Amino acid sequence: MCSSLETGMSKAWQALVLLALPACALAAQPVHYAYGTTPTAAQVKGWDVDVFPDGEGLPPGQGTVAQGEPLYEARCSACHGLFGEGVAKFPNLNNSSLDDLKATPPVKTIGNYWPYAPKIFDYIRRAMPFPMPGSLTDEETYAITAYLLNLNNLVGSDFVADAQTLAKVQMPNRNGLIVNDLKPDTHAKRCMKGCAAGSALEVKTNAKDLKGLTPPTTGPADGK
Amino acid sequence: MATQTERDTREILKAVEGAAGQLPSAERRQFLRKALTAGAGTFAGAAFAGLSIAHAADVPASAGSKYPPGLPPWSRTLGPGVDWQPYGMPVKYQADVIRRQVAWLTQSPQASVNFSPLQHLNGTITPNGLFFCRYHSGCAQINPAEHRLLIHGMVERPLLLTMDDLMRYPAVSRTHFVECAANGAMEWKRAQLDSLQYTHGMLSCAEWTGVMLSTLLDQVGVKKGAKWLLIEGADGAKMARSIPLWKGLDDCILAYSQNGEALRAEQGYPVRAVIPGFEGNMNIKWVRRIKVSDRPWYTREETSEYTELRPDGKALAFDFYEDAKSVITFPCPEVPPQHGKGLYEIRGLAWSGRGKIKAVDVSFDGGANWRPAQLQGPVLTKSLTRFTVPWQWDGGPALLASRALDETGYVQPTIDELRAVRGDRGVYHNNSIQVWQVTAEGKVHNVQLA
């Protein structure tokens, strides 16, 4: 880009530009645009809500299992059920073990699948209750987190959740995640002739056999 | 049949002509001009189609037919003016071409997904009103004047931007697809949904305009040791994902425009992240915050969701890439071959999260033999590429399939090859070869050969 710019200019202009504004050097270095403002500490604090797996980012405050029970019943049980069993297709928050991860279909809940307890606090504070996210205080969020951990038999009924204790809870699936190396995991070959034969070319399952499963693709949305 | 308006128009025209006939020629012309202008003004207010040019006596008998040699009504009337639709909408005959959801998949439409009608889309760009949507706390609707973007964490100069500030930075326009990691999720165990829209419609593609994330990271000065970014939305879910810093410095865009106009609310207005080639969930909408750190956050969407359970109970996390994939969009269950045996053009889409599509092969026999398809250019990186191949259908049963290859050499696998690695209890990243069964009756069904 720099060279094409220069070839389009007379020698005199090139000399001027090089003196006043070294265009190529400028393009190579980051430009400081000075747009926007520097946030205040209070502005950052208000939005800096993320919590790391080790508990960094958890706020001051605490909550007990006993405090969490009535809060859970009032604010969470309509969707998640009185015992965390999940209403309809809302998520189950209870009754699961590592073996349930090998079942078909697998049962994945905060108790058997979530690897870090501080992230339960993070998620509730971030996104719950579903119809009114952000409506719980930090203390209430700690209390509900404590109650849910107790419901999953991961802490005793005297557990007090806070920034220190949550980080120490041993979640069953703490070592259950494998971090991907971002390389493809299949290595198919490009075959062009005689690539499959016999039963490999026979239909094993046909979606047309599952009556009533596929929603309509004509007419109003939702078939209403 | 003439409408009441057309009949009224004709009567007025007749009356005007009768009156004009009594006058000398110069005066007649002036009279006609005034009368018709007044008449048109009156009618334009009531019904734009009123001023029929055709005179009842002049209409040939054949005009009753819409087909040659007749003249259809739209060729004999004045259409609406430019003020008819200040924002244009699809014609009423395309009413079936809409995003649709699978209601039984989720409990609430506010935490759900809909599917683009790929069976009716003929380009590589998804119209903005048909771009698939995934919400976690419903669709946030934000006044851009009230939106703020905070960039902080391991940076030299934390920054708070308004939308006006953001739009001052150098802009880029790039075309990229977005595909939900769960596209095809219902097909892991067996062929389930008999539809292109529902098997592949969590896929869309647009030209995005915005600021390179690298430009903003330059501005704030990333500190030594930083390796990850958290991008967080302003929606009720405060949806947040960890993005590797190298990716943020590579090709990510904070986009405020989609296909030339401002983002739709459904796509994250006023600003969303475009993380080319990575799973759709990472393309955070309604972006309010970017935090720089030395480690990832393991958010809910990186542990509970978007991880892949293997047969041994362990799960793969941070599986970002949407690997090479393709699908035949014609014929498909929704749009079968409708003309009996004969020549058809098979059409489809191919894409890869790792770069450009290098080739697409098509099979008419379920994968025994393949032939290369024609790719339609320009072939762009991490974007949709259309392919075509002529098909002489003999009218008998056929098994149509397409297979994409990308510039890294990766070849799209069969469902069998995927299951061998991942089992069949997965949800995410099903990029297997889609097989469509064409029956002798001309129906098309979603089938699996394994």
Side-chain angles (χ1 to χ4, degrees):
Chain A
M1 194 171 126
C2 292
S3 59
S4 69
L5 242 173
E6 282 169 14
T7 49
M9 287 189 278
S10 71
K11 289 273 181 225
W13 268 109
Q14 279 187 37
L16 262 178
V17 167
L18 288 173
L19 269 176
L21 187 85
C24 293
L26 197 67
Q29 285 171 5
V31 179
H32 184 58
Y33 295 101
Y35 305 154
T37 53
T38 302
T40 65
Q43 284 174 321
V44 172
K45 187 164 176 260
W47 279 14
D48 189 12
V49 293
D50 54 274
V51 174
F52 284 90
D54 61 7
E56 185 186 315
L58 283 169
Q62 62 177 46
T64 66
V65 174
Q67 289 164 335
E69 183 169 5
L71 280 167
Y72 174 86
E73 286 173 6
R75 306 298 302 276
C76 317
S77 67
C79 296
H80 294 293
L82 264 185
F83 307 99
E85 72 278 15
V87 174
K89 287 193 279 283
F90 285 113
N92 176 355
L93 301 179
N94 192 9
N95 296 321
S96 55
S97 69
L98 285 181
D99 282 343
D100 293 328
L101 298 180
K102 297 178 192 169
T104 302
V107 181
K108 300 186 277 187
T109 75
I110 52 169
N112 73 339
Y113 200 49
W114 286 43
Y116 304 106
K119 301 302 293 189
I120 301 173
F121 178 97
D122 176 288
Y123 182 67
I124 297 170
R125 179 165 70 164
R126 187 175 289 278
M128 291 289 119
F130 184 51
M132 294 177 70
S135 62
L136 295 166
T137 65
D138 287 346
E139 304 260 334
E140 289 172 330
T141 306
Y142 273 123
I144 292 171
T145 306
Y147 177 73
L148 288 174
L149 289 169
N150 178 252
L151 196 66
N152 280 277
N153 299 314
L154 298 172
V155 299
S157 56
D158 58 348
F159 181 72
V160 181
D162 64 26
Q164 280 70 48
T165 59
L166 280 185
K168 289 184 190 130
V169 175
Q170 277 302 310
M171 299 297 280
N173 204 38
R174 171 68 181 78
N175 298 313
L177 291 183
I178 308 158
V179 174
N180 192 358
D181 61 7
L182 298 184
K183 293 183 181 130
D185 59 357
T186 59
H187 308 279
K189 296 277 184 285
R190 187 188 190 188
C191 166
M192 299 304 282
K193 295 282 172 213
C195 311
S199 74
L201 297 173
E202 288 166 12
V203 172
K204 305 297 188 307
T205 59
N206 193 325
K208 77 168 185 206
D209 299 332
L210 302 176
K211 304 285 181 214
L213 196 69
T214 306
T217 54
T218 56
D222 300 340
K224 279 171 192 157
Chain B
M1 286 295 284
T3 64
Q4 183 62 41
T5 317
E6 284 173 319
R7 284 195 294 276
D8 290 348
T9 308
R10 280 181 207 135
E11 278 180 25
I12 285 182
L13 285 170
K14 266 189 201 166
V16 169
E17 279 171 352
Q22 313 295 318
L23 297 167
S25 66
E27 289 167 49
R28 190 171 74 237
R29 279 195 294 274
Q30 200 173 2
F31 175 86
L32 274 172
R33 192 177 302 125
K34 279 185 183 168
L36 285 177
T37 310
T42 308
F43 274 95
F48 47 74
L51 193 68
S52 173
I53 301 302
H55 294 212
D58 297 342
V59 176
S62 58
S65 167
K66 293 185 176 105
Y67 310 104
L71 265 187
W74 52 89
S75 302
R76 293 184 281 115
T77 48
L78 191 58
V82 292
D83 51 354
W84 174 39
Q85 292 191 117
Y87 194 97
M89 298 299 289
V91 297
K92 61 184 177 182
Y93 307 105
Q94 296 294 310
D96 284 343
V97 184
I98 52 175
R99 296 182 288 222
R100 296 171 187 275
Q101 60 162 333
V102 179
W104 52 260
L105 263 186
T106 49
Q107 182 58 35
S108 153
Q110 284 92 1
S112 193
V113 67
N114 61 23
F115 300 75
S116 287
L118 300 182
Q119 69 274 23
H120 297 301
L121 301 183
N122 290 316
T124 55
I125 297 293
T126 311
N128 288 342
L130 297 174
F131 206 98
F132 87 95
C133 308
R134 172 78 168 98
Y135 306 150
H136 301 82
S137 269
C139 180
Q141 296 175 70
I142 300 173
N143 176 344
E146 296 168 357
H147 188 71
R148 294 293 181 274
L149 172 61
L150 174 66
I151 309 175
H152 70 122
M154 289 178 68
V155 301
E156 301 292 345
R157 297 171 294 278
L159 194 56
L160 186 64
L161 297 173
T162 64
M163 283 307 297
D164 283 344
D165 295 332
L166 185 70
M167 291 165 90
R168 290 179 71 186
Y169 291 103
V172 297
S173 293
R174 294 184 180 182
T175 301
H176 292 298
F177 73 84
V178 179
E179 182 184 26
C180 179
N183 205 19
M186 283 84 84
E187 310 299 312
W188 272 104
K189 273 210 159 343
R190 53 157 297 155
Q192 287 223 90
L193 295 175
D194 213 8
S195 152
L196 170 61
Q197 183 162 9
Y198 298 122
T199 54
H200 289 78
M202 289 192 241
L203 166 76
S204 297
C205 185
E207 184 200 54
W208 308 98
T209 300
V211 183
M212 295 300 292
L213 187 48
S214 57
T215 301
L216 294 175
L217 294 172
D218 268 351
Q219 294 307 296
V220 296
V222 171
K223 285 187 178 167
K224 206 165 178 236
K227 285 185 181 144
W228 289 84
L229 306 170
L230 185 80
I231 304 187
E232 180 181 83
D235 56 328
K238 265 71 88 205
M239 180 51 53
R241 288 295 302 261
S242 305
I243 315 282
L245 178 62
W246 64 261
K247 181 66 174 174
L249 292 170
D250 179 18
D251 58 359
C252 300
I253 304 167
L254 283 187
Y256 41 77
S257 275
Q258 177 182 359
N259 295 329
E261 64 178 0
L263 293 179
R264 295 291 169 89
E266 308 98 285
Q267 295 307 323
Y269 183 84
V271 58
R272 79 169 303 166
V274 175
I275 315 293
F278 280 18
E279 60 189 12
N281 180 254
M282 300 174 79
N283 295 246
I284 300 289
K285 302 191 280 194
W286 311 289
V287 174
R288 73 162 194 172
R289 188 164 74 103
I290 298 169
K291 184 171 177 177
V292 183
S293 171
D294 57 355
R295 60 203 196 278
W297 281 261
Y298 287 85
T299 69
R300 173 181 179 267
E301 274 65 33
E302 293 155 11
T303 54
S304 170
E305 319 297 311
Y306 302 98
T307 48
E308 289 153 47
L309 259 182
R310 297 294 158 96
D312 64 358
K314 300 273 185 189
L316 194 64
F318 301 115
D319 190 13
F320 299 142
Y321 281 104
E322 295 294 295
D323 273 318
K325 189 169 173 182
S326 66
V327 67
I328 292 170
T329 58
F330 174 78
C332 66
E334 292 95 325
V335 190
Q338 289 168 353
H339 312 287
K341 65 179 181 183
L343 183 64
Y344 292 86
E345 181 177 70
I346 288 178
R347 299 162 184 161
L349 293 169
W351 62 99
S352 168
R354 294 183 194 265
K356 292 178 183 170
I357 288 295
K358 190 169 143 199
V360 177
D361 302 322
V362 170
S363 172
F364 309 142
D365 57 15
N369 302 291
W370 299 83
R371 71 192 63 192
Q374 174 86 34
L375 299 187
Q376 295 199 16
V379 176
L380 302 172
T381 187
K382 301 159 195 170
S383 181
L384 295 187
T385 297
R386 268 174 76 78
F387 64 86
T388 60
V389 68
W391 175 46
Q392 187 71 43
W393 185 33
D394 62 8
L399 293 169
L400 306 182
S402 65
R403 178 180 67 190
L405 289 77
D406 70 17
E407 63 182 339
T408 71
Y410 178 87
V411 178
Q412 184 183 1
T414 62
I415 187 71
D416 223 13
E417 287 166 326
L418 266 187
R419 284 186 191 132
V421 180
R422 305 189 196 166
D424 64 358
R425 301 179 309 149
V427 175
Y428 306 107
H429 299 292
N430 177 358
N431 67 323
S432 64
I433 290 170
Q434 173 66 50
V435 183
W436 297 130
Q437 176 195 54
V438 182
T439 69
E441 295 76 40
K443 298 262 198 291
V444 178
H445 296 294
N446 167 23
V447 298
Q448 290 185 3
L449 309 183

